[in-house]
Amino acid sequence: MSERTIKNWCRLMPKVELHRHFEGSLRPEMIFRMAQRHGIGLPFRSVEDYQQKLAFRSFSDFVSMFIIGVRCLREPVDFYESTLDLGRQLYADGILYADITITPQFYLSRSYSLEDIFGALKKGADLVKEKLDVDIRWVVDLVRNKIEVSEVAFHELMKIDLKHYSIHALGLGGPEKGYSALPFANMFAEAKRQGLRSNPHAGEFDGAASVALCVESLKADRIGHGVRVWEDPAVIQELIDRGISIEVCLSSNFKLGVFNRESHPVKKLFDAGVKLSLNTDDPALFKTNLSYEYFLAMTYFGFDLDMLKKSTIVAAENIHDESCGLALMQKINNQFKVLGLDE
């Protein structure tokens, strides 16, 4: 297939996204809009200037840009409008359902409660569903190196009606190496009792042992990233035996130096039988979308259309809101049929 044909197939395929951060989906246009609303100074003056700052030399460079968007999310209207813009991005990329990760502890000092914020997110997501027929659900993320603030955020979250606000999982992000998941075990256990699924990041900046710890101590239902399980066949087999899927983010891994295109194990993991989905992580910061992640998988790692179809089905079978599962699979299968990919 020519590059143009591959890109066209990737654009047309139905998609499900499981690993995407709300804050990392803020396009520069939204950041400028919110900054102007609140009189916030920015370290860039144009979209072009913003784009030039996305050549990250370290994880801390990435975090610095990520936090700029966080600073601009000040009031419920910011969360509402950003959700609408997120919905437009998902729709344009052919994404039918997305589990979106948001980090509540960033917003504890706002003059609005977390319930006000999730009310705005729900209002936006409901309108996206009504107008674009795209389902958005939420994963609330704690931060590994901020245990005390994480505990405050977690206890505030436990006060609200999680199901009403479409919150379906608890995540764990932040610096992985040097910050064990173990101190968060009690919070994840309580979240499970409250009906949330477990979706920690692991196996990105630390090795396979980090993944194994999250499976054991946090009872992980899905693993964010997880690609470094390739370093330990025993952990690979554990994921396969337990049916736990990993959320692969190729552009993110390349641009943050986790793997390069020559060393990335995504195809080896797929061939080994690990359930995996393709995702964007922070598309505004990595200048990507899910169609492009599919293109990378085909162009650099030898995925064919059947492999992309299988990874899409893995994603659909592992969404956090299982009540959407039947209708979602029907939509996906109908679109595959239209594309002639139903066999």
Side-chain angles (χ1 to χ4, degrees), residues 104-105 108 140-159 162 167-173 180-200 214 216-221:
Q105 65 196 69
L108 292 176
V140 287
D141 209 29
L142 306 178
V143 181
R144 284 176 181 259
N145 63 327
K146 302 288 184 182
I147 181 68
E148 295 85 1
V149 184
S150 291
E151 288 174 339
V152 174
F154 178 77
H155 290 302
E156 289 300 311
L157 285 165
M158 291 300 103
K159 296 177 183 178
L162 301 169
I167 300 169
H168 288 273
L170 184 66
L172 182 64
S180 171
L182 200 55
F184 294 84
N186 288 338
M187 284 182 274
F188 273 79
E190 177 60 25
K192 284 263 187 176
R193 286 191 289 271
Q194 297 301 321
L196 296 184
R197 289 162 59 88
S198 173
N199 192 180
C214 286
E216 184 60 33
S217 65
L218 306 187
K219 310 302 179 190
D221 296 292

Short mmCIF file of all heavy atoms in Angstrom, two decimals, residues 104-105 108 140-159 162 167-173 180-200 214 216-221:
data_model
loop_
_atom_site.label_atom_id
_atom_site.label_comp_id
_atom_site.label_asym_id
_atom_site.label_seq_id
_atom_site.Cartn_x
_atom_site.Cartn_y
_atom_site.Cartn_z
N PRO A 104 -7.73 15.27 39.25
CA PRO A 104 -8.48 16.21 40.09
C PRO A 104 -7.63 17.01 41.07
O PRO A 104 -7.97 18.14 41.41
CB PRO A 104 -9.46 15.30 40.85
CG PRO A 104 -9.57 14.08 40.01
CD PRO A 104 -8.23 13.90 39.39
N GLN A 105 -6.52 16.43 41.53
CA GLN A 105 -5.76 17.14 42.57
C GLN A 105 -5.14 18.43 42.05
O GLN A 105 -4.77 19.30 42.84
CB GLN A 105 -4.70 16.25 43.18
CG GLN A 105 -3.57 15.79 42.28
CD GLN A 105 -2.84 14.62 42.91
OE1 GLN A 105 -3.38 13.52 43.02
NE2 GLN A 105 -1.62 14.84 43.34
N LEU A 108 -7.72 21.32 43.29
CA LEU A 108 -8.22 21.42 44.67
C LEU A 108 -8.20 22.85 45.19
O LEU A 108 -8.99 23.21 46.06
CB LEU A 108 -7.38 20.53 45.60
CG LEU A 108 -7.52 19.02 45.39
CD1 LEU A 108 -6.56 18.27 46.30
CD2 LEU A 108 -8.96 18.56 45.64
N VAL A 140 -10.17 9.09 36.88
CA VAL A 140 -9.59 10.12 37.76
C VAL A 140 -8.21 9.64 38.22
O VAL A 140 -8.05 8.53 38.72
CB VAL A 140 -10.51 10.42 38.96
CG1 VAL A 140 -11.72 11.22 38.50
CG2 VAL A 140 -10.97 9.15 39.67
N ASP A 141 -7.23 10.49 38.02
CA ASP A 141 -5.84 10.11 38.17
C ASP A 141 -5.24 10.69 39.45
O ASP A 141 -5.42 11.87 39.74
CB ASP A 141 -5.06 10.68 36.97
CG ASP A 141 -3.85 9.86 36.60
OD1 ASP A 141 -3.88 8.65 36.82
OD2 ASP A 141 -2.90 10.44 36.06
N LEU A 142 -4.53 9.86 40.20
CA LEU A 142 -3.72 10.32 41.31
C LEU A 142 -2.27 10.42 40.85
O LEU A 142 -1.92 9.87 39.80
CB LEU A 142 -3.84 9.35 42.50
CG LEU A 142 -5.26 9.06 42.98
CD1 LEU A 142 -5.25 8.05 44.12
CD2 LEU A 142 -5.98 10.33 43.39
N VAL A 143 -1.42 11.09 41.64
CA VAL A 143 -0.04 11.36 41.21
C VAL A 143 0.94 10.71 42.18
O VAL A 143 0.90 10.98 43.39
CB VAL A 143 0.22 12.88 41.10
CG1 VAL A 143 1.65 13.14 40.63
CG2 VAL A 143 -0.77 13.52 40.13
N ARG A 144 1.82 9.87 41.66
CA ARG A 144 2.69 9.03 42.48
C ARG A 144 3.54 9.81 43.48
O ARG A 144 3.74 9.38 44.61
CB ARG A 144 3.64 8.23 41.57
CG ARG A 144 2.99 7.05 40.87
CD ARG A 144 4.01 6.41 39.93
NE ARG A 144 3.45 5.28 39.21
CZ ARG A 144 3.65 4.01 39.53
NH1 ARG A 144 4.39 3.71 40.58
NH2 ARG A 144 3.13 3.03 38.80
N ASN A 145 4.08 10.94 43.05
CA ASN A 145 5.01 11.66 43.93
C ASN A 145 4.32 12.73 44.77
O ASN A 145 4.98 13.59 45.36
CB ASN A 145 6.13 12.30 43.10
CG ASN A 145 5.63 13.35 42.11
OD1 ASN A 145 4.52 13.22 41.59
ND2 ASN A 145 6.43 14.36 41.86
N LYS A 146 3.00 12.68 44.84
CA LYS A 146 2.22 13.64 45.63
C LYS A 146 1.20 12.88 46.47
O LYS A 146 -0.01 13.09 46.36
CB LYS A 146 1.52 14.65 44.72
CG LYS A 146 2.45 15.45 43.82
CD LYS A 146 3.27 16.47 44.60
CE LYS A 146 4.12 17.32 43.66
NZ LYS A 146 4.95 18.30 44.41
N ILE A 147 1.67 12.00 47.33
CA ILE A 147 0.78 11.10 48.06
C ILE A 147 -0.19 11.85 48.96
O ILE A 147 -1.38 11.52 49.02
CB ILE A 147 1.59 10.05 48.87
CG1 ILE A 147 0.68 9.10 49.63
CG2 ILE A 147 2.60 10.71 49.79
CD1 ILE A 147 -0.12 8.18 48.79
N GLU A 148 0.30 12.89 49.67
CA GLU A 148 -0.58 13.60 50.60
C GLU A 148 -1.72 14.31 49.86
O GLU A 148 -2.88 14.23 50.26
CB GLU A 148 0.21 14.61 51.43
CG GLU A 148 1.25 13.99 52.37
CD GLU A 148 2.57 13.72 51.67
OE1 GLU A 148 2.69 14.02 50.46
OE2 GLU A 148 3.48 13.20 52.34
N VAL A 149 -1.38 15.00 48.77
CA VAL A 149 -2.41 15.70 47.99
C VAL A 149 -3.33 14.69 47.32
O VAL A 149 -4.53 14.91 47.19
CB VAL A 149 -1.77 16.64 46.96
CG1 VAL A 149 -2.84 17.44 46.22
CG2 VAL A 149 -0.78 17.58 47.62
N SER A 150 -2.76 13.56 46.90
CA SER A 150 -3.58 12.50 46.31
C SER A 150 -4.63 12.01 47.28
O SER A 150 -5.79 11.77 46.91
CB SER A 150 -2.70 11.33 45.86
OG SER A 150 -1.89 11.67 44.76
N GLU A 151 -4.24 11.87 48.54
CA GLU A 151 -5.20 11.41 49.55
C GLU A 151 -6.33 12.41 49.73
O GLU A 151 -7.50 12.01 49.84
CB GLU A 151 -4.48 11.19 50.88
CG GLU A 151 -3.57 9.96 50.87
CD GLU A 151 -2.75 9.83 52.13
OE1 GLU A 151 -2.57 10.85 52.84
OE2 GLU A 151 -2.27 8.72 52.43
N VAL A 152 -6.01 13.70 49.72
CA VAL A 152 -7.05 14.73 49.84
C VAL A 152 -8.00 14.65 48.65
O VAL A 152 -9.24 14.65 48.80
CB VAL A 152 -6.43 16.13 49.94
CG1 VAL A 152 -7.52 17.20 49.91
CG2 VAL A 152 -5.59 16.26 51.20
N ALA A 153 -7.43 14.58 47.43
CA ALA A 153 -8.26 14.51 46.23
C ALA A 153 -9.13 13.26 46.24
O ALA A 153 -10.32 13.32 45.88
CB ALA A 153 -7.37 14.53 44.99
N PHE A 154 -8.55 12.15 46.64
CA PHE A 154 -9.30 10.89 46.66
C PHE A 154 -10.49 10.98 47.61
O PHE A 154 -11.62 10.59 47.24
CB PHE A 154 -8.38 9.75 47.08
CG PHE A 154 -9.08 8.42 47.17
CD1 PHE A 154 -9.40 7.71 46.03
CD2 PHE A 154 -9.44 7.90 48.41
CE1 PHE A 154 -10.08 6.49 46.11
CE2 PHE A 154 -10.10 6.69 48.50
CZ PHE A 154 -10.42 5.98 47.35
N HIS A 155 -10.28 11.52 48.80
CA HIS A 155 -11.39 11.61 49.76
C HIS A 155 -12.46 12.58 49.29
O HIS A 155 -13.66 12.35 49.54
CB HIS A 155 -10.85 12.00 51.13
CG HIS A 155 -10.04 10.91 51.78
ND1 HIS A 155 -10.57 9.65 52.03
CD2 HIS A 155 -8.75 10.86 52.21
CE1 HIS A 155 -9.64 8.88 52.59
NE2 HIS A 155 -8.54 9.59 52.71
N GLU A 156 -12.07 13.64 48.59
CA GLU A 156 -13.07 14.55 48.01
C GLU A 156 -13.87 13.83 46.91
O GLU A 156 -15.09 14.01 46.80
CB GLU A 156 -12.38 15.79 47.44
CG GLU A 156 -11.84 16.74 48.49
CD GLU A 156 -12.93 17.27 49.41
OE1 GLU A 156 -13.97 17.74 48.89
OE2 GLU A 156 -12.76 17.20 50.64
N LEU A 157 -13.19 13.03 46.10
CA LEU A 157 -13.87 12.29 45.05
C LEU A 157 -14.88 11.31 45.60
O LEU A 157 -15.97 11.10 45.03
CB LEU A 157 -12.85 11.55 44.19
CG LEU A 157 -12.05 12.40 43.21
CD1 LEU A 157 -10.84 11.62 42.70
CD2 LEU A 157 -12.92 12.85 42.05
N MET A 158 -14.54 10.68 46.72
CA MET A 158 -15.42 9.68 47.30
C MET A 158 -16.72 10.28 47.85
O MET A 158 -17.66 9.56 48.16
CB MET A 158 -14.70 8.90 48.40
CG MET A 158 -13.58 8.00 47.91
SD MET A 158 -14.12 6.70 46.73
CE MET A 158 -13.56 7.40 45.16
N LYS A 159 -16.79 11.61 47.94
CA LYS A 159 -17.99 12.28 48.43
C LYS A 159 -19.03 12.50 47.34
O LYS A 159 -20.18 12.84 47.65
CB LYS A 159 -17.62 13.63 49.06
CG LYS A 159 -16.73 13.55 50.28
CD LYS A 159 -16.36 14.95 50.76
CE LYS A 159 -15.41 14.92 51.95
NZ LYS A 159 -15.00 16.29 52.37
N LEU A 162 -20.19 9.14 41.83
CA LEU A 162 -19.26 8.80 40.76
C LEU A 162 -19.99 8.36 39.49
O LEU A 162 -19.65 8.81 38.38
CB LEU A 162 -18.32 7.68 41.23
CG LEU A 162 -17.47 8.02 42.46
CD1 LEU A 162 -16.79 6.76 42.99
CD2 LEU A 162 -16.44 9.09 42.14
N ILE A 167 -17.74 8.71 36.10
CA ILE A 167 -16.38 8.37 36.56
C ILE A 167 -16.36 6.86 36.79
O ILE A 167 -17.09 6.34 37.62
CB ILE A 167 -16.05 9.12 37.87
CG1 ILE A 167 -16.11 10.64 37.64
CG2 ILE A 167 -14.67 8.72 38.38
CD1 ILE A 167 -16.06 11.45 38.93
N HIS A 168 -15.49 6.19 36.05
CA HIS A 168 -15.54 4.73 36.06
C HIS A 168 -14.25 4.05 36.49
O HIS A 168 -14.22 2.82 36.65
CB HIS A 168 -15.94 4.21 34.67
CG HIS A 168 -17.37 4.45 34.34
ND1 HIS A 168 -18.38 3.59 34.70
CD2 HIS A 168 -17.98 5.50 33.73
CE1 HIS A 168 -19.54 4.06 34.30
NE2 HIS A 168 -19.33 5.23 33.71
N ALA A 169 -13.16 4.82 36.68
CA ALA A 169 -11.90 4.17 37.06
C ALA A 169 -11.01 5.14 37.81
O ALA A 169 -11.12 6.37 37.68
CB ALA A 169 -11.17 3.64 35.83
N LEU A 170 -10.10 4.57 38.61
CA LEU A 170 -9.06 5.32 39.31
C LEU A 170 -7.74 5.01 38.64
O LEU A 170 -7.39 3.84 38.42
CB LEU A 170 -9.01 4.92 40.78
CG LEU A 170 -8.03 5.70 41.66
CD1 LEU A 170 -8.45 7.16 41.77
CD2 LEU A 170 -7.94 5.06 43.05
N GLY A 171 -6.99 6.06 38.31
CA GLY A 171 -5.69 5.91 37.68
C GLY A 171 -4.57 6.36 38.59
O GLY A 171 -4.80 6.91 39.68
N LEU A 172 -3.35 6.15 38.14
CA LEU A 172 -2.16 6.57 38.89
C LEU A 172 -1.11 6.99 37.89
O LEU A 172 -0.63 6.17 37.08
CB LEU A 172 -1.63 5.42 39.76
CG LEU A 172 -0.41 5.74 40.63
CD1 LEU A 172 -0.75 6.80 41.67
CD2 LEU A 172 0.10 4.47 41.31
N GLY A 173 -0.74 8.28 37.92
CA GLY A 173 0.25 8.81 36.98
C GLY A 173 1.41 9.45 37.71
O GLY A 173 1.69 9.15 38.86
N SER A 180 6.90 4.18 44.24
CA SER A 180 6.16 2.92 44.20
C SER A 180 4.66 3.15 44.21
O SER A 180 4.16 4.13 44.78
CB SER A 180 6.55 2.06 45.40
OG SER A 180 5.73 0.93 45.50
N ALA A 181 3.95 2.22 43.60
CA ALA A 181 2.48 2.24 43.65
C ALA A 181 1.94 1.76 44.99
O ALA A 181 0.78 2.01 45.32
CB ALA A 181 1.92 1.37 42.52
N LEU A 182 2.77 1.11 45.78
CA LEU A 182 2.29 0.45 46.99
C LEU A 182 1.58 1.39 47.98
O LEU A 182 0.55 1.00 48.56
CB LEU A 182 3.46 -0.25 47.68
CG LEU A 182 3.11 -1.35 48.68
CD1 LEU A 182 2.22 -2.41 48.05
CD2 LEU A 182 4.39 -1.99 49.23
N PRO A 183 2.07 2.64 48.21
CA PRO A 183 1.35 3.51 49.15
C PRO A 183 -0.07 3.85 48.75
O PRO A 183 -0.84 4.37 49.57
CB PRO A 183 2.23 4.78 49.17
CG PRO A 183 3.58 4.31 48.76
CD PRO A 183 3.32 3.25 47.75
N PHE A 184 -0.44 3.56 47.50
CA PHE A 184 -1.78 3.88 47.01
C PHE A 184 -2.73 2.68 47.09
O PHE A 184 -3.89 2.79 46.70
CB PHE A 184 -1.70 4.37 45.56
CG PHE A 184 -0.98 5.68 45.40
CD1 PHE A 184 0.40 5.71 45.30
CD2 PHE A 184 -1.67 6.88 45.38
CE1 PHE A 184 1.08 6.91 45.17
CE2 PHE A 184 -1.00 8.09 45.24
CZ PHE A 184 0.38 8.10 45.15
N ALA A 185 -2.23 1.56 47.61
CA ALA A 185 -3.03 0.33 47.59
C ALA A 185 -4.35 0.47 48.32
O ALA A 185 -5.40 -0.02 47.85
CB ALA A 185 -2.21 -0.82 48.17
N ASN A 186 -4.35 1.14 49.48
CA ASN A 186 -5.60 1.28 50.24
C ASN A 186 -6.63 2.12 49.49
O ASN A 186 -7.83 1.82 49.51
CB ASN A 186 -5.32 1.88 51.61
CG ASN A 186 -4.62 0.91 52.54
OD1 ASN A 186 -4.69 -0.30 52.35
ND2 ASN A 186 -3.94 1.43 53.56
N MET A 187 -6.16 3.18 48.82
CA MET A 187 -7.08 4.01 48.06
C MET A 187 -7.68 3.22 46.89
O MET A 187 -8.88 3.31 46.61
CB MET A 187 -6.37 5.27 47.56
CG MET A 187 -6.17 6.32 48.65
SD MET A 187 -5.38 7.83 48.06
CE MET A 187 -3.65 7.38 48.20
N PHE A 188 -6.86 2.44 46.22
CA PHE A 188 -7.38 1.64 45.11
C PHE A 188 -8.35 0.56 45.60
O PHE A 188 -9.35 0.27 44.93
CB PHE A 188 -6.23 1.04 44.31
CG PHE A 188 -5.71 1.96 43.23
CD1 PHE A 188 -4.86 3.00 43.55
CD2 PHE A 188 -6.10 1.80 41.91
CE1 PHE A 188 -4.39 3.87 42.57
CE2 PHE A 188 -5.64 2.65 40.92
CZ PHE A 188 -4.78 3.69 41.25
N ALA A 189 -8.06 0.00 46.76
CA ALA A 189 -8.98 -0.99 47.32
C ALA A 189 -10.33 -0.37 47.63
O ALA A 189 -11.39 -0.96 47.35
CB ALA A 189 -8.37 -1.61 48.58
N GLU A 190 -10.31 0.83 48.20
CA GLU A 190 -11.57 1.53 48.49
C GLU A 190 -12.29 1.89 47.21
O GLU A 190 -13.53 1.79 47.11
CB GLU A 190 -11.29 2.78 49.33
CG GLU A 190 -12.52 3.63 49.62
CD GLU A 190 -13.61 2.89 50.39
OE1 GLU A 190 -13.28 1.91 51.12
OE2 GLU A 190 -14.78 3.26 50.27
N ALA A 191 -11.54 2.33 46.20
CA ALA A 191 -12.15 2.67 44.91
C ALA A 191 -12.85 1.45 44.31
O ALA A 191 -13.95 1.55 43.77
CB ALA A 191 -11.08 3.19 43.95
N LYS A 192 -12.22 0.30 44.43
CA LYS A 192 -12.85 -0.94 43.93
C LYS A 192 -14.16 -1.20 44.66
O LYS A 192 -15.16 -1.60 44.05
CB LYS A 192 -11.89 -2.12 44.12
CG LYS A 192 -10.74 -2.16 43.12
CD LYS A 192 -11.08 -3.10 41.98
CE LYS A 192 -9.90 -3.30 41.06
NZ LYS A 192 -10.16 -4.28 40.00
N ARG A 193 -14.15 -0.98 45.97
CA ARG A 193 -15.38 -1.20 46.75
C ARG A 193 -16.49 -0.23 46.31
O ARG A 193 -17.67 -0.55 46.43
CB ARG A 193 -15.09 -1.03 48.25
CG ARG A 193 -14.31 -2.20 48.86
CD ARG A 193 -14.28 -2.14 50.37
NE ARG A 193 -13.43 -1.06 50.87
CZ ARG A 193 -12.13 -1.19 51.12
NH1 ARG A 193 -11.52 -2.36 50.93
NH2 ARG A 193 -11.43 -0.18 51.59
N GLN A 194 -16.09 0.93 45.81
CA GLN A 194 -17.06 1.92 45.35
C GLN A 194 -17.44 1.72 43.88
O GLN A 194 -18.15 2.55 43.30
CB GLN A 194 -16.50 3.33 45.55
CG GLN A 194 -16.24 3.70 47.00
CD GLN A 194 -17.48 3.62 47.86
OE1 GLN A 194 -18.58 3.99 47.43
NE2 GLN A 194 -17.33 3.13 49.09
N GLY A 195 -16.95 0.64 43.28
CA GLY A 195 -17.35 0.32 41.91
C GLY A 195 -16.43 0.83 40.82
O GLY A 195 -16.74 0.69 39.63
N LEU A 196 -15.29 1.44 41.19
CA LEU A 196 -14.35 1.92 40.19
C LEU A 196 -13.40 0.81 39.77
O LEU A 196 -13.05 -0.07 40.56
CB LEU A 196 -13.54 3.10 40.73
CG LEU A 196 -14.30 4.38 41.06
CD1 LEU A 196 -13.33 5.47 41.49
CD2 LEU A 196 -15.14 4.85 39.88
N ARG A 197 -12.96 0.86 38.53
CA ARG A 197 -11.94 -0.06 38.05
C ARG A 197 -10.56 0.54 38.30
O ARG A 197 -10.43 1.74 38.58
CB ARG A 197 -12.16 -0.36 36.57
CG ARG A 197 -13.39 -1.25 36.34
CD ARG A 197 -13.88 -1.19 34.91
NE ARG A 197 -12.88 -1.60 33.96
CZ ARG A 197 -12.66 -2.85 33.55
NH1 ARG A 197 -13.39 -3.84 34.06
NH2 ARG A 197 -11.75 -3.14 32.65
N SER A 198 -9.53 -0.28 38.20
CA SER A 198 -8.15 0.13 38.49
C SER A 198 -7.37 0.26 37.19
O SER A 198 -7.27 -0.69 36.42
CB SER A 198 -7.48 -0.91 39.40
OG SER A 198 -6.11 -0.64 39.56
N ASN A 199 -6.79 1.46 36.97
CA ASN A 199 -6.13 1.75 35.69
C ASN A 199 -4.85 2.57 35.89
O ASN A 199 -4.73 3.69 35.43
CB ASN A 199 -7.11 2.50 34.79
CG ASN A 199 -6.69 2.61 33.35
OD1 ASN A 199 -7.40 3.19 32.55
ND2 ASN A 199 -5.53 2.07 32.97
N PRO A 200 -3.85 2.00 36.59
CA PRO A 200 -2.61 2.74 36.83
C PRO A 200 -1.69 2.77 35.62
O PRO A 200 -1.68 1.85 34.81
CB PRO A 200 -1.96 1.95 37.97
CG PRO A 200 -2.43 0.54 37.74
CD PRO A 200 -3.84 0.67 37.23
N CYS A 214 1.66 -3.25 40.24
CA CYS A 214 0.32 -2.67 40.06
C CYS A 214 -0.74 -3.75 39.88
O CYS A 214 -1.87 -3.60 40.35
CB CYS A 214 0.32 -1.72 38.85
SG CYS A 214 1.14 -0.16 39.17
N GLU A 216 -0.60 -6.71 41.22
CA GLU A 216 -0.77 -7.38 42.50
C GLU A 216 -1.37 -6.45 43.56
O GLU A 216 -2.34 -6.80 44.23
CB GLU A 216 0.58 -7.92 42.99
CG GLU A 216 0.49 -8.72 44.28
CD GLU A 216 -0.40 -9.94 44.17
OE1 GLU A 216 -0.47 -10.54 43.08
OE2 GLU A 216 -1.05 -10.29 45.18
N SER A 217 -0.79 -5.25 43.73
CA SER A 217 -1.19 -4.40 44.86
C SER A 217 -2.37 -3.49 44.55
O SER A 217 -3.13 -3.13 45.45
CB SER A 217 0.00 -3.55 45.33
OG SER A 217 0.39 -2.63 44.33
N LEU A 218 -2.54 -3.11 43.28
CA LEU A 218 -3.65 -2.23 42.91
C LEU A 218 -4.76 -2.97 42.17
O LEU A 218 -5.76 -2.37 41.81
CB LEU A 218 -3.15 -1.06 42.04
CG LEU A 218 -2.00 -0.22 42.60
CD1 LEU A 218 -1.75 0.99 41.69
CD2 LEU A 218 -2.28 0.24 44.02
N LYS A 219 -4.57 -4.27 41.96
CA LYS A 219 -5.56 -5.10 41.27
C LYS A 219 -5.95 -4.48 39.93
O LYS A 219 -7.12 -4.29 39.60
CB LYS A 219 -6.81 -5.31 42.13
CG LYS A 219 -6.51 -5.77 43.56
CD LYS A 219 -5.73 -7.06 43.61
CE LYS A 219 -5.41 -7.49 45.04
NZ LYS A 219 -4.45 -8.60 45.11
N ALA A 220 -4.94 -4.15 39.14
CA ALA A 220 -5.15 -3.42 37.89
C ALA A 220 -6.06 -4.19 36.93
O ALA A 220 -5.89 -5.38 36.71
CB ALA A 220 -3.81 -3.14 37.22
N ASP A 221 -7.03 -3.46 36.36
CA ASP A 221 -7.87 -4.01 35.30
C ASP A 221 -7.29 -3.72 33.93
O ASP A 221 -7.48 -4.49 32.99
CB ASP A 221 -9.28 -3.40 35.39
CG ASP A 221 -9.99 -3.79 36.67
OD1 ASP A 221 -10.32 -4.97 36.83
OD2 ASP A 221 -10.17 -2.91 37.54
#
